[in-house]
Amino acid sequence: MARPIHLKDHSSDAGIVQRRVVLASLMVAALTLTLVGRMYFLQVMQYEHHSTLSENNRVHIQPVPPSRGRIYDRNGVVLAENRPSFSLSITRERVPDLEQTFTLLGSLLALSEEDLERAQRKLTQGRRPFEPVPVMFGLTEEQIAQIAINQFRLPGVEVQTSFVRHYPLAEHFAHAVGYVGRINEKEMASIDQVAYAGTHYIGKTGIERFYEDILHGTVGYEEVETNARGRVLRVLKRTDPLPGKDITLHLDSRLQAVAEKALGNRRGAVIAIEPETGGVLAFVSQPGFDPNLFVTGISHADYGALRDSLDQPLFNRVLRGLYPPGSTIKQIVALAGLDSGVTTRESRVYDPGFYQLPNHSHKYRNWNRSGDGWVSMAFAIARSNDTYFYDLANKLGIDRMHDYMTRFGLGTRVSHDMYEESAGLMPSRAWKREARRQPWYPGETLITGIGQGYMLTTPLQLAQSIALMANRGVWRRPRLLMHADGEPPQVADTPANIELKNPADWDFIIGALEDVMHAQHGTSRSAALDAPYRMAGKTGTAQVVAIAQGEKYDSAALQERHRDHALFVGFAPAEAPKIAVAVMVENGESGGRVAAPVARQLFDAWLLPDPEPAAFDEEVAQ
């Protein structure tokens, strides 16, 4: 049986299609209106906002670091300069395989694992992948040649020229001038980010750190046009940076060379001051180190060798070395006795070779065990008689000694521009109660009177104390800076001058110090032989290890580093001082035989004509 045939309703299908077309047209119209409205909102209503964003996307401000100011000695010898240096830079976006590139660099340049790790760390610190990041500094000619020959194998690797800090005299002024190094995270958090934009280095120690603001300069800027990836297309505007100021120090390279040669290979410190100005003429802390090692980053091996050395080359003995001053402060004790009225110039003390407090059995020994008999003040200073000063210290008491010593700068920071300086220690009753929770004992007063016991001073403080004696109490803060681009430093907070009840006491004490050098009984007469000028000074010996009661000091029985330190302070010419010197020779034992001859060579070099000036090398001589 045949099935019935159904005819299709075309009119119904056409209606469905028509409705769908109308709906789609409405949706298109709505979307078009939305798009037009959005375009109107963005391009008309928010035109200023988006035009600013577009300009910022196109134009960037890049910092231009300033050149660091140079440092000179008083004669124009360069102590710190900026030298061109070849560095290896890597642009990360141009390097297809960083690991392979570093492996190749290691073999071509003979780099150690430590060098490669340091370079990789520096590369990760780069912010933008299209910016070259310096990862190695101070490339040699051979290394540059290797990179040039293999350039086709090292995409993204290039040699660039930049200026880095250089210290021509290396270790000779390391402790005075200091050094710069790369800015670390702690410093980055504290410095002005705008002022140091584009700068990688900052002063770490010494003059480089103290005068950082002067030496650094003012950053400049470039307004550059970039593409969408941030690559620079052209420079639109440039504001040049202002270089840091060049500074000149009071230091004298020739005198520094004399001091180092006189000290020889011994550990110690020498500092010379011009009494009239307070300018530091020589600043030797021996042994030293090469500050150039620290500029671009010192290796672990090099730093470990410096850090672990028994001779402590990184230790600034002039500013941070704390030593008992020994007999180098006896002239101050004598002056305190005269000015306070507890003794007179003519008062004498009998010395049997020791001193005893009333009702005490302990004997405080004189260095001359046989004794010097009846001793006057002038003789006691020249002879460095301990018994006389035990007696005088007992009469003065610790409170008066503390007052006079601090007026001479002992136990206080005395410098103007040496931030690393230690304050030292001038003990007192109050200090011992607070620090030791103990009372002050009379015997401690006696040994303080000869510069032993708790008392600790730096070589700089000793130099300042003898400069004050040369100046007859007029204070001039020791300073390294002579001027910055012709502008002298403003020295503030200078202590009050030392005024005596009888100003003639200055001449008396200085006369006794001259006897130390020129009298037959003076402890340093051998150092002044044949001198064409008069000098004044005081020798000293500082104990390193205690000697038991009744025992004698035996140098041969002690290890070299346990032997006494040798000290000397002095100035010349005695009648019109031009130079004051403090010398400390670690474990040198005798101030008169070891330390005083060092000072004599400085006196001669500064006061007498020298047809062949001492120098570190030909560069300094020129």
Side-chain angles (χ1 to χ4, degrees):
M1 183 175 178
R3 294 182 180 180
I5 299 174
H6 297 283
L7 298 176
K8 192 170 183 179
D9 189 355
H10 293 284
S11 62
S12 175
D13 291 344
I16 294 173
V17 171
Q18 187 177 6
R19 286 193 299 271
R20 288 179 178 177
V21 169
V22 172
L23 182 61
S25 299
L26 291 174
M27 291 179 64
V28 170
L31 290 174
T32 301
L33 289 173
T34 301
L35 180 60
V36 171
R38 182 62 178 170
M39 290 176 65
Y40 177 83
F41 175 78
L42 293 174
Q43 296 191 20
V44 178
M45 299 183 66
Q46 289 196 325
Y47 169 77
E48 292 185 1
H49 172 69
H50 288 285
S51 64
T52 301
L53 289 179
S54 176
E55 185 69 16
N56 289 341
N57 226 2
R58 184 179 71 88
V59 178
H60 292 276
I61 303 297
Q62 290 187 344
V64 180
S67 61
R68 194 171 181 85
R70 289 162 294 189
I71 302 175
Y72 300 92
D73 86 335
R74 67 191 297 124
N75 301 312
V77 175
V78 178
L79 305 182
E81 62 182 351
N82 307 306
R83 281 191 175 181
S85 174
F86 293 101
S87 60
L88 180 71
S89 296
I90 296 178
T91 305
R92 281 181 291 171
E93 75 168 10
R94 294 173 53 198
V95 180
D97 190 333
L98 278 174
E99 183 177 352
Q100 181 180 354
T101 297
F102 275 110
T103 301
L104 181 57
L105 285 172
S107 61
L108 291 175
L109 306 182
L111 301 179
S112 65
E113 290 294 329
E114 181 185 344
D115 293 331
L116 289 172
E117 289 176 4
R118 188 186 303 114
Q120 290 171 335
R121 285 197 302 269
K122 290 177 181 177
L123 184 61
T124 58
Q125 295 171 1
R127 296 181 180 179
R128 299 175 180 176
F130 55 81
E131 290 182 343
V133 178
V135 296
M136 285 184 59
F137 300 88
L139 297 179
T140 64
E141 293 182 1
E142 292 78 7
Q143 290 175 322
I144 295 172
Q146 284 290 345
I147 294 171
I149 294 171
N150 294 274
Q151 188 67 66
F152 69 98
R153 304 167 63 191
L154 297 168
V157 177
E158 58 185 342
V159 176
Q160 293 185 331
T161 304
S162 60
F163 285 91
V164 297
R165 203 61 158 171
H166 178 70
Y167 303 97
L169 300 183
E171 71 274 9
H172 300 295
F173 287 94
H175 288 289
V177 173
Y179 60 85
V180 301
R182 296 185 70 85
I183 300 174
N184 57 38
E185 293 182 2
K186 182 178 180 181
E187 291 164 337
M188 187 63 73
S190 61
I191 62 176
D192 185 340
Q193 299 288 335
V194 175
Y196 279 83
T199 301
H200 301 290
Y201 302 97
I202 194 170
K204 299 286 187 176
T205 63
I207 285 295
E208 290 277 27
R209 177 165 179 174
F210 191 90
Y211 290 110
E212 172 65 26
D213 292 343
I214 294 176
L215 292 166
H216 175 254
T218 304
V219 67
Y221 290 95
E222 282 184 342
E223 191 174 299
V224 298
E225 183 179 6
T226 61
N227 61 15
R229 295 179 62 84
R231 188 182 302 279
V232 175
L233 300 178
R234 60 175 175 150
V235 177
L236 303 176
K237 184 180 179 182
R238 177 183 172 93
T239 301
D240 291 329
L242 296 177
K245 291 183 178 180
D246 294 341
I247 67 175
T248 299
L249 306 182
H250 283 277
L251 291 169
D252 186 282
S253 297
R254 173 177 168 270
L255 194 66
Q256 185 91 353
V258 170
E260 290 189 8
K261 184 177 180 181
L263 197 56
N265 295 324
R266 295 168 294 195
R267 300 178 304 277
V270 180
I271 182 162
I273 295 176
E274 187 176 42
E276 184 179 357
T277 64
V280 175
L281 304 174
F283 187 116
V284 176
S285 177
Q286 200 158 282
F289 63 95
D290 185 357
N292 293 300
L293 295 173
F294 289 85
V295 175
T296 57
I298 189 170
S299 68
H300 290 299
D302 288 339
Y303 183 73
L306 292 172
R307 179 196 59 208
D308 299 333
S309 172
L310 289 177
D311 292 334
Q312 296 181 290
L314 295 176
F315 184 57
N316 192 328
R317 288 166 166 81
V318 171
L319 300 181
R320 303 192 63 81
L322 297 176
Y323 309 92
S327 298
T328 60
I329 51 90
K330 285 179 178 176
Q331 67 276 6
I332 303 176
V333 178
L335 198 65
L338 293 175
D339 194 56
S340 62
V342 302
T343 190
T344 65
R345 301 178 190 178
E346 295 76 21
S347 297
R348 297 194 302 166
V349 172
Y350 185 75
D351 170 32
F354 59 88
Y355 180 84
Q356 286 179 287
L357 287 166
N359 303 317
H360 286 75
S361 60
H362 185 85
K363 293 182 179 180
Y364 297 86
R365 299 285 182 180
N366 179 25
W367 67 267
N368 177 15
R369 294 300 183 96
S370 60
D372 291 320
W374 287 102
V375 179
S376 65
M377 178 179 287
F379 182 92
I381 293 174
R383 180 71 168 158
S384 198
N385 182 277
D386 292 329
T387 302
Y388 181 93
F389 285 95
Y390 290 140
D391 180 75
L392 181 54
N394 188 45
K395 293 174 181 176
L396 277 168
I398 187 59
D399 296 326
R400 272 189 290 218
M401 275 201 297
H402 179 272
D403 175 56
Y404 278 91
M405 295 289 186
T406 52
R407 289 165 67 184
F408 273 86
L410 302 180
T412 64
R413 293 181 176 88
V414 299
S415 72
H416 166 67
D417 53 9
M418 295 169 247
Y419 84 99
E420 294 172 295
E421 180 190 0
S422 296
L425 174 60
M426 182 59 222
S428 64
R429 296 179 191 275
W431 166 81
K432 194 179 180 189
R433 279 197 302 270
E434 182 178 349
R436 301 297 179 92
R437 301 289 192 271
Q438 294 176 354
W440 186 266
Y441 298 108
E444 294 169 333
T445 300
L446 302 190
I447 59 175
T448 302
I450 63 166
Q452 300 288 352
Y454 297 115
M455 190 176 182
L456 295 171
T457 59
T458 66
L460 176 63
Q461 290 168 357
L462 293 180
Q464 175 62 4
S465 72
I466 200 65
L468 277 166
M469 192 68 68
N471 278 341
R472 290 166 168 75
V474 177
W475 257 90
R476 299 279 188 271
R477 277 203 181 277
R479 63 179 185 270
L480 288 164
L481 180 65
M482 180 181 287
H483 62 78
D485 279 352
E487 299 177 9
Q490 300 297 320
V491 182
D493 191 29
T494 300
N497 294 336
I498 303 170
E499 298 184 0
L500 302 181
K501 297 181 179 68
N502 181 6
D505 288 340
W506 290 113
D507 295 327
F508 174 77
I509 296 297
I510 290 174
L513 294 176
E514 290 184 63
D515 289 345
V516 172
M517 310 300 299
H518 300 283
Q520 185 63 32
H521 56 278
T523 56
S524 190
R525 60 188 181 278
S526 61
L529 291 176
D530 303 321
Y533 54 87
R534 298 280 292 180
M535 62 188 79
K538 185 70 191 75
T539 58
T541 303
Q543 283 186 346
V544 176
V545 294
I547 304 298
Q549 173 74 10
E551 292 187 5
K552 291 184 178 182
Y553 176 83
D554 185 0
S555 174
L558 293 172
Q559 296 180 15
E560 189 268 341
R561 293 178 186 269
H562 290 168
R563 295 171 186 169
D564 293 346
H565 298 320
L567 300 155
F568 177 84
V569 296
F571 55 87
E575 64 280 4
K578 300 296 182 184
I579 180 173
V581 173
V583 179
M584 186 284 304
V585 181
E586 288 186 3
N587 315 115
E589 299 189 285
S590 172
R593 287 186 291 102
V594 176
V598 174
R600 167 66 189 276
Q601 292 188 52
L602 268 73
F603 292 157
D604 285 351
W606 193 248
L607 300 175
L608 303 179
D610 186 356
E612 296 182 0
F616 299 114
D617 51 37
E618 293 181 1
E619 184 176 355
V620 178
Q622 294 172 359

